[in-house]
Amino acid sequence: MDIRLGNGFDVHAFGPGDYVTLCGVAIPHDRGLVGHSDADVGLHTITDAIYGALAQGDIGQHFPPGDPKWKGASSDIFLRHAVTCAADLGFSISNVDCTLICEFPKVGPHAETMRHRVAEIMNVPMERVSVKATTSEKLGFTGRGEGIACLATAALVKS
């Protein structure tokens, strides 16, 4: 049996805006996230975890941030691509586990909606998707409210 694990990590700073997009869900907030695409730190991290499991680099290699066609792009495009790459190589997604690291916005009230959206994008049962959050106890850039970090792990199984 061929089982692959991959990890992803991403960070986005806060900037102007009135909402953040996390794991495909727009959440009202007094600031937005800065990035070349929609800056969805959750979907970027899950995408990188899948590419990592496939030994196919990272999101920037597949969707270069210097390419203007990705400016403002919805990050579900990137995640769908990673899932397609996995399927093309004969892998299915066993599960993904995503941890958002931030003081605000509060993720808990939106976690189930995020799980549903990620499962929908990846075309997997919701039971295979975990989305949770933690704070950094007011330490570091996330603790000071300067941005959001995210860590994700993906397990892939050869079909």
Side-chain angles (χ1 to χ4, degrees), residues 7 47-62:
N7 293 309
T47 300
D48 269 354
I50 295 169
Y51 287 142
L54 297 171
Q56 288 194 0
D58 62 25
I59 196 168
Q61 290 174 272
H62 294 267

Side-chain angles (χ1 to χ4, degrees), residues 5-159:
L5 294 178
N7 293 309
F9 181 79
D10 197 19
V11 170
H12 283 275
F14 284 120
D18 57 4
Y19 72 95
V20 295
T21 302
L22 298 174
C23 294
V25 177
I27 299 171
H29 191 55
D30 60 354
R31 292 176 283 172
L33 289 171
V34 178
H36 185 69
S37 65
D38 64 2
D40 187 330
V41 67
L43 292 188
H44 292 181
T45 306
I46 295 168
T47 300
D48 269 354
I50 295 169
Y51 287 142
L54 297 171
Q56 288 194 0
D58 62 25
I59 196 168
Q61 290 174 272
H62 294 267
F63 302 94
D67 188 336
K69 78 177 177 181
W70 305 119
K71 180 72 176 156
S74 177
S75 294
D76 64 302
I77 295 167
F78 311 145
L79 181 53
R80 287 181 207 282
H81 180 265
V83 170
T84 298
C85 287
D88 288 349
L89 293 171
F91 287 93
S92 59
I93 309 298
S94 177
N95 72 297
V96 297
D97 182 23
C98 175
T99 304
L100 294 154
I101 306 162
C102 58
E103 302 293 325
F104 294 99
K106 294 299 182 193
V107 171
H110 308 281
E112 288 302 299
T113 304
M114 290 179 194
R115 287 181 63 217
H116 177 77
R117 181 66 181 131
V118 171
E120 178 182 68
I121 294 166
M122 295 175 59
N123 196 29
V124 300
M126 197 165 109
E127 297 79 31
R128 296 185 177 270
V129 177
S130 170
V131 174
K132 57 194 184 298
T134 189
T135 68
S136 54
E137 301 295 329
K138 301 199 186 289
L139 298 172
F141 80 92
T142 59
R144 291 187 300 270
E146 297 171 7
I148 298 178
C150 189
L151 174 69
T153 301
L156 281 58
V157 178
K158 193 85 163 199
S159 306

